């Protein structure tokens, strides 16, 4: 064999080896990040997740039961279906679920119109199925948080049926009534044009109008009636007594109406403090506020210990897509700044990049995987408890069929396999799958080392068992290049520098730092950082991010 032939043979033989090596080793030469925690990480996580501060270290998952998994072949996801998928959530690194409302409802607002607060929507199962879900979740150390919709009921709730039938019945004063489509002491209109242009709807039987911030099928409760306060707090006790770990509180700032204010007026603040006092009668419970984006999360915390444990940061959660569109981190700095400067001690930010109310993360990312990956990293690396919206870990696309309203685009069935029914149900699902489910499904993505699901697994594994991500101090570093974001997280001996890019081109920046420990190795992503004096220099590849360990090696 001549030399050139040998060379050709070596080439042929080594090419597949090189290709394989490139799959196993990314371009920085490091092996791909692990997708499952070490036993030490898991032991540390178990410890952090025990006791009253569990929610600060937990990763939450918002689940739409109706679209998660159908156990009885009627095309509608249900509690038993969800229970059967808990191992998937556990394996993904989820510590708590928040369930969208699961009570009986005529479904004018996807269950946010509740017709009975103490029973289960028969589409989803019964109380025994609920108890079984909670038990199965707790057995796996997954907490269960319910959606608490207190501002309004369904117009088909028995209270409203009574209230709207006469002005003298038991529930006559449980809602907000007026002889005209306005009232001097009620200054608010509908919450958004989505819910119509008048907040008042006429009822002939009473010859009066009732007030609703949302759809006409969602009459607002009258919290100035002490019976409403007593009954709603009692409902909360009922569910806590059943073992739920807490609540996501729907439009909680809107409870009390007044002439001028609509959101978080003093009476509402006072009610929330009573609500917190009820929770505090039970060990290790937590609640998270749906906040008004105008007010921001800070007012929902009170002193830090007398109102919400967590509040959603929608300035990040709903606006991150704009930062990527503009290749500019400024609005992300603005969303994170108040976490550092305005929150009272003890407050815990709740971070998200998707929910049932907005388009899919994939759309906010303009269908660019790197944008969604940088966005979810930011929500996992800032000082916050992260909430993953079901299906975003697969980068599920927006659906195009609407059953209730346009928000259904983000409420399509969870695709588990590439098969036509995607193992969601044996029947036609209540709403069609989003396009692309033959690719964006659990089974296909699990087998693909470059999938969004693998990325989420790696990211959740990277964070797991490190207290620094849940509760470590955060400081934001101002850079001279607006396409980059830099921040430092630190707890006791563990500290990290996080740098994220909003640009697809390589970028570098300099920022001023004081007392920053020495920059150590990159432990996530790719990039370079160095300090000279008080100057921090950072450099990232296009579309990149990097986490550097700080301090003595
Ligand atoms: C919250 C829910 C939303 C619902 C509204 C009225 O904003 O997230 O889905 O339409 O409250 O309950
Ligand atoms: Ca079903």
């Amino acid at each position: 064999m001549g030399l050139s032939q040998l060379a050709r043979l070596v080439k042929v033989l080594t090419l597949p080896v090189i290709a394989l090596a490139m799959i196993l080793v990314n371009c920085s030469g490091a092996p791909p990040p692990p997708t499952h925690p070490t036993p030490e990480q898991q032991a540390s996580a178990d410890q952090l997740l025990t006791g009253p501060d569990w929610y600060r270290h937990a990763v939450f998952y918002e689940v739409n039961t109706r679209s998660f998994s159908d156990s009885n072949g009627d095309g509608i996801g249900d509690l038993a279906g969800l229970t059967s998928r808990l191992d998937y959530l556990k394996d993904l690194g989820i510590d708590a679920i928040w369930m969208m409302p699961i009570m009986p409802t005529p479904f004018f607002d996807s269950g946010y119109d509740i017709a009975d607060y103490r029973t289960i929507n028969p589409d989803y199962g019964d109380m025994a199925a609920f108890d079984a879900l909670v038990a199965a979740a707790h057995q796996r150390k997954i907490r269960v948080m319910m959606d608490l919709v207190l501002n309004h009921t369904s117009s088909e709730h028995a209270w409203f049926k009574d209230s709207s039938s006469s002005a003298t019945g038991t529930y006559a004063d449980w809602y907000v009534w007026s002889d005209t489509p306005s009232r001097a002491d009620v200054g608010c209109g509908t919450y958004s044009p989505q819910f119509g242009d008048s907040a008042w709807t006429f009822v002939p039987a009473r010859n009066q109008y009732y007030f609703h911030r949302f759809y006409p099928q969602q009459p607002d409760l009258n919290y100035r009636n002490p019976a409403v306060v007593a009954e709603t707090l009692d409902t909360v006790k009922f569910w806590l007594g059943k073992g739920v770990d807490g609540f996501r509180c729907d439009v909680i700032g809107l409870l009390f109406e007044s002439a001028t204010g609509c959101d978080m007026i003093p009476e509402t603040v006072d009610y929330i403090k009573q609500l917190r006092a009820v929770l505090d009668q039970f060990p290790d419970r937590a609640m998270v506020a749906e906040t008004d984006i105008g007010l921001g999360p800070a007012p929902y915390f009170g002193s830090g210990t007398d109102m919400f444990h967590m509040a959603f940061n929608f300035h990040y959660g709903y606006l991150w897509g704009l930062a990527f569109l503009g290749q500019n981190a400024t609005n992300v700095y603005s969303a994170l700044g108040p976490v550092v400067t305005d929150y009272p001690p003890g407050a815990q930010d709740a971070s998200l990049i998707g929910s049932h109310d907005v388009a899919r993360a994939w759309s906010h990312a303009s269908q660019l995987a790197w944008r969604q990956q940088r966005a979810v990293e930011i929500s996992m690396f800032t000082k916050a408890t992260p909430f993953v919206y079901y299906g975003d870990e697969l980068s599920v696309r927006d659906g195009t069929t609407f059953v209730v309203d346009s928000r259904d685009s983000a409420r399509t069935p969870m695709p588990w396999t590439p098969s036509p029914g995607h193992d969601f149900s044996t029947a036609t699902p209540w709403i069609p799958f989003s396009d692309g489910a033959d690719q964006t499904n659990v089974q296909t993505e699990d087998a693909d080392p470059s999938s969004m699901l693998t990325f989420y697994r790696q990211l959740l594994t990277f964070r797991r068992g490190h207290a620094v991500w849940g509760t470590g101090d955060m400081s934001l570093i101002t850079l001279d290049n607006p396409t980059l974001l830099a921040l430092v997280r630190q707890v006791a001996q563990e500290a990290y520098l996080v740098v994220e890019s909003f640009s697809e081109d390589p970028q570098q920046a300099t920022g001023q730092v004081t007392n920053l420990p020495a920059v150590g190795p990159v432990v996530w992503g790719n990039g370079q950082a160095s300090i000279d004096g008080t100057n921090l220099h950072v450099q990232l590849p296009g579309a990149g991010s990097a986490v550097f360990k700080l301090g003595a090696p």
Side-chain angles (χ1 to χ4, degrees), residues 70-72 74 76-78 123:
D70 172 23
S71 71
N72 63 348
D74 62 0
I76 299 175
D78 46 50
D123 279 350

Side-chain angles (χ1 to χ4, degrees), residues 1 161 168 232 276 278 330 332 382 426 541:
M1 189 189 295
K161 285 189 184 161
T168 54
T232 52
R276 172 64 182 256
V278 171
T330 309
V332 177
T382 55
T426 52

Side-chain angles (χ1 to χ4, degrees), residues 335-401:
L336 298 179
V339 178
V340 182
T341 55
D342 297 0
Y343 285 17
Q348 178 81 2
D349 203 41
S351 189
L352 73 169
I353 64 162
S355 86
H356 66 284
D357 280 329
V358 289
R360 279 284 179 186
W362 183 247
S363 299
H364 287 279
S366 308
Q367 291 89 44
L368 293 168
W370 75 267
R371 287 187 179 177
Q372 184 179 334
Q373 291 173 348
R374 297 298 80 79
V376 72
E377 282 173 2
I378 293 168
S379 100
M380 302 252 173
F381 292 153
T382 55
K383 186 179 182 181
T385 293
F387 282 66
V388 175
Y389 182 54
Y390 89 100
D392 277 351
E393 76 274 29
L394 308 171
S395 64
V396 163
R397 281 50 169 155
D398 271 303
T400 49
T401 304

Side-chain angles (χ1 to χ4, degrees), residues 35-36 88 91-92 446 453-461:
T35 52
H36 289 86
Y88 164 76
D91 189 58
L92 180 59
D446 251 339
L453 180 56
T454 300
F455 180 84
Y456 270 66
R457 288 187 185 285
Q458 292 167 334
L459 182 59
L460 290 167
T461 299

Side-chain angles (χ1 to χ4, degrees), residues 312-345:
F312 282 117
N313 189 338
F314 293 131
H315 284 149
Y316 180 69
Y318 287 168
L319 301 178
W320 61 268
L322 297 176
F324 284 95
L325 274 180
Q327 304 204 25
N328 191 312
T330 309
N331 84 22
V332 177
Y333 275 97
S334 315
L336 298 179
V339 178
V340 182
T341 55
D342 297 0
Y343 285 17

Side-chain angles (χ1 to χ4, degrees), residues 27 29 45 50 83 115 127 136 141 212 218 233 261 267 274 288 307 314 324 397 407 424 436 448 450 458 498 533 548:
C27 13
T50 304
T83 305
M127 199 54 94
K141 297 194 175 135
H212 52 90
Q218 294 168 289
L233 293 178
E267 293 89 332
Q274 294 182 57
V288 57
M307 290 174 66
F314 293 131
F324 284 95
R397 281 50 169 155
R407 292 173 296 172
F424 164 73
D448 175 1
S450 67
Q458 292 167 334
V498 176
F548 304 86

Side-chain angles (χ1 to χ4, degrees), residues 109 112 149 152 195 214 218 248 250-251 290 356-357 407 411:
D109 189 12
Y112 286 91
V149 187
H152 44 265
F195 301 102
F214 297 91
Q218 294 168 289
R248 174 268 187 185
D250 190 68
V251 292
E290 185 190 19
H356 66 284
D357 280 329
R407 292 173 296 172
R411 301 174 183 180

